């Protein structure tokens, strides 16, 4: 499916896709979100139910079980899902990113071997780039893969890996050559490979519905047949994945913030102060107007960036970085304002607002910090 017929109008198909995802979020995710967060429950069966509706391989080709949709379609889906729970939608976005990397850069054999079970989420995927000593400076990664006949021997550690310990397949960036980005390759490593182990599930501010662990490689033998693309292409592959990942995480921020705004509108219709409803105070009306406007601005720009990525426009990477920064900053600010407008109730877990604020905070850090987004944009401006 192509992007929107024009930049400001969704097609009937896109409206149907968005509404399907929103209905799923409302029925299957939202009623459980607070309980899942408290229990640190990873809702795998719910994710598989989403995959049964085509959301396990959204922009993956149809010959291996994908839905063959556009990046704009994906943005609509992730925003809609995140109205139910940003952390759940965000894991699905990471799974889709890793699955797309295999579909896009894998051979026909690799695609046939892995992608169909990823598209149904019979297998779950994780993305392994960040390390304890290499976060924003991703090209400095140290995890090494040494060639040994028809295998690589992998040693090193990845950090902050979403889904680790529960996922079945890790798409991992490793150093096969010298320093810098040109020495990096991409390997697909099954989680049950001998020598692969996990750190403890991290205690986090938010995103409690998905496990986050270190992934440790100690003499892990990986077939050369598991390498995506040629040696030395791994950094390019990783960055290509992140263009779409940044749009997805921005969309998740918009969905979480929209849910917070919707909750706030409902609360202010019910709550009274000084003899009138909260939504009758003009000062508060103006805050609501600004929240809605900023969300709409960010959403419109995210669609613009998604359309550019669909069109393979030369400035797509820059636009994706811009959109990620704008959407995640805006989403967090709107959710935080929603908490303020709830007063003391916003601080209580029961209302679900404080969870949205906690979940959205990390979106300003992952898939490249918003400082790195500014660096990407600045480099395109000044060369």
């Amino acid at each position: 499916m192509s992007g929107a017929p024009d930049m400001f109008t969704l097609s009937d198909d896109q409206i149907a896709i968005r509404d399907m995802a929103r209905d799923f979020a409302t029925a299957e995710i939202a009623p459980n979100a607070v309980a899942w967060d408290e229990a640190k429950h990873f809702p795998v069966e719910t994710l598989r139910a989403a995959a049964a509706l085509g959301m396990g391989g959204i922009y993956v080709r149809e010959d291996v079980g994908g839905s063959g949709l556009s990046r704009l379609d994906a943005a609509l889906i992730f925003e809609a899902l995140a109205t139910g729970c940003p952390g759940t939608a965000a894991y699905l976005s990471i799974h889709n990113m890793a699955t797309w990397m295999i579909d896009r850069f894998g051979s026909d054999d690799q695609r046939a071997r892995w992608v169909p079970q990823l598209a149904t989420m019979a297998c779950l995927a994780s993305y392994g780039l960040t390390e304890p000593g290499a976060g924003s400076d991703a090209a400095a990664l140290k995890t090494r893969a040494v060639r040994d006949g028809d295998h690589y021997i992998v040693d090193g550690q990845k950090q902050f890996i979403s889904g680790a310990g529960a996922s079945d397949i890790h798409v991992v960036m490793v150093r096969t050559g010298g320093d810098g980005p040109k020495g990096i390759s991409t390997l697909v490593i099954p989680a049950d490979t001998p020598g692969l182990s996990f750190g403890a599930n991290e205690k986090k501010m938010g995103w409690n519905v998905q496990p986050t662990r270190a992934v440790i490689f100690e003499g892990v033998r990986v077939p050369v047949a598991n390498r995506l693309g040629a040696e030395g292409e791994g950094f390019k592959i990783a960055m290509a994945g992140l263009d779409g990942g940044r749009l997805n995480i921005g969309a998740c921020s918009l969905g979480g913030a929209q849910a917070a705004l919707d909750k706030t509108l409902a609360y202010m219709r019910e709550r009274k102060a000084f003899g009138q409803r909260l939504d009758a105070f003009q000062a508060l009306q103006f805050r609501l107007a600004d929240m809605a406007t900023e969300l709409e601005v960010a959403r419109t720009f995210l669609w613009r960036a998604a359309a550019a990525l669909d069109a393979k426009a030369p400035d797509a990477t820059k636009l994706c970085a811009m959109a990620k920064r704008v959407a995640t900053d805006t989403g967090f600010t709107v959710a935080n304002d929603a908490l303020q407008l709830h007063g003391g109730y916003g601080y209580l877990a029961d209302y679900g607002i404080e969870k949205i604020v906690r979940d959205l905070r990390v979106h300003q850090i992952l898939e490249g910090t918003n400082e790195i987004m500014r660096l990407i944009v600045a480099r395109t401006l000044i060369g």
Side-chain angles (χ1 to χ4, degrees):
M1 182 180 295
S2 64
D6 66 61
M7 272 181 60
F8 308 105
T9 310
L10 298 179
S11 68
D12 289 345
D13 283 350
Q14 287 170 322
I15 291 167
I17 287 165
R18 180 195 63 194
D19 290 352
M20 175 270 296
R22 185 70 187 251
D23 290 347
F24 183 85
T26 300
E28 304 298 331
I29 300 175
N32 304 303
V34 171
W36 288 345
D37 176 74
E38 286 181 2
K40 296 183 168 54
H41 171 69
F42 188 38
V44 173
E45 293 311 312
T46 304
L47 291 167
R48 288 181 176 142
L53 297 173
M55 294 186 265
I58 295 169
Y59 41 91
V60 165
R61 285 172 280 179
E62 292 174 85
D63 66 314
V64 283
S67 296
L69 299 178
S70 71
R71 300 309 183 111
L72 179 50
D73 299 330
L76 301 174
I77 288 168
F78 287 117
E79 177 176 351
L81 291 175
T83 62
C85 170
T88 303
Y91 173 73
L92 194 66
S93 89
I94 293 164
H95 171 89
N96 268 270
M97 177 175 72
T99 302
W100 174 82
M101 289 166 68
I102 299 174
D103 179 52
R104 169 67 180 79
F105 296 103
S107 66
D108 288 342
D109 285 347
Q110 289 170 330
R111 294 174 66 238
R113 180 176 163 196
W114 287 309
V115 177
Q117 52 192 338
L118 292 168
T120 62
M121 297 188 83
C123 284
L124 306 181
S126 288
Y127 173 86
L129 177 63
T130 299
E131 297 183 2
S136 292
D137 185 11
L141 66 86
K142 296 274 195 283
T143 296
R144 182 156 291 280
V146 177
R147 185 79 179 251
D148 178 30
D150 57 0
H151 284 76
Y152 290 102
I153 311 298
V154 181
D155 288 282
Q157 182 173 328
K158 296 295 177 178
Q159 183 72 294
F160 305 130
I161 305 305
S162 290
S167 55
D168 304 281
I169 289 170
H170 292 264
V171 180
V172 183
M173 274 37 78
V174 297
R175 188 161 301 286
T176 50
D179 292 343
K182 291 186 170 63
I184 295 169
S185 302
T186 301
L187 298 179
V188 179
I189 307 180
D192 60 0
T193 307
L196 189 157
S197 62
F198 303 100
N201 193 8
E202 303 285 5
K203 296 176 182 173
K204 307 188 296 288
M205 177 178 175
W207 269 29
N208 290 320
V209 295
Q210 49 171 294
T212 305
R213 292 181 171 89
V215 182
I216 302 152
F217 304 94
E218 297 173 299
V220 176
R221 291 183 65 83
V222 181
V224 172
N226 286 25
R227 189 186 68 221
L228 298 181
E231 276 201 3
E233 291 183 351
F235 196 73
K236 180 186 79 175
I237 291 170
M239 293 303 109
L242 284 174
D243 280 342
R246 287 165 181 161
L247 294 176
N248 296 348
I249 219 69
C252 289
S253 288
L254 298 179
Q258 185 66 56
L261 176 58
D262 293 343
K263 288 173 186 283
T264 303
L265 289 167
Y267 174 77
M268 291 174 68
R269 288 188 196 103
E270 301 294 322
R271 175 81 168 167
K272 289 190 172 179
F274 307 104
Q276 56 181 338
R277 288 180 358 186
L278 287 186
D279 63 3
F281 291 94
Q282 193 176 67
L284 302 185
Q285 292 174 357
F286 283 6
R287 285 191 71 173
L288 292 169
D290 284 347
M291 291 159 72
T293 302
E294 296 302 322
L295 266 184
E296 198 59 57
V297 168
R299 181 179 292 116
T300 302
F301 186 64
L302 190 88
W303 290 4
R304 155 101 165 89
L309 190 59
D310 281 324
K312 298 180 172 59
D315 61 348
T317 292
K318 177 188 77 173
L319 291 170
C320 289
M322 288 176 166
K324 190 270 182 181
R325 203 275 297 166
V326 168
T328 59
D329 281 351
T330 299
F332 178 76
T333 300
V334 168
N336 200 41
D337 286 348
L339 192 155
Q340 185 70 20
L341 289 170
H342 274 76
Y345 292 106
Y347 205 66
L348 300 181
D350 296 357
Y351 283 72
I353 296 284
E354 61 85 34
K355 177 195 174 296
I356 295 172
V357 173
R358 288 187 288 107
D359 280 348
L360 295 192
R361 182 61 185 85
V362 77
H363 294 196
Q364 295 167 292
I365 296 170
L366 52 81
E367 312 289 41
T369 65
N370 286 1
E371 290 73 21
I372 292 295
M373 298 307 99
R374 291 177 171 91
L375 189 63
I376 291 168
V377 173
R379 281 176 176 167
T380 65
L381 295 176
I382 59 183

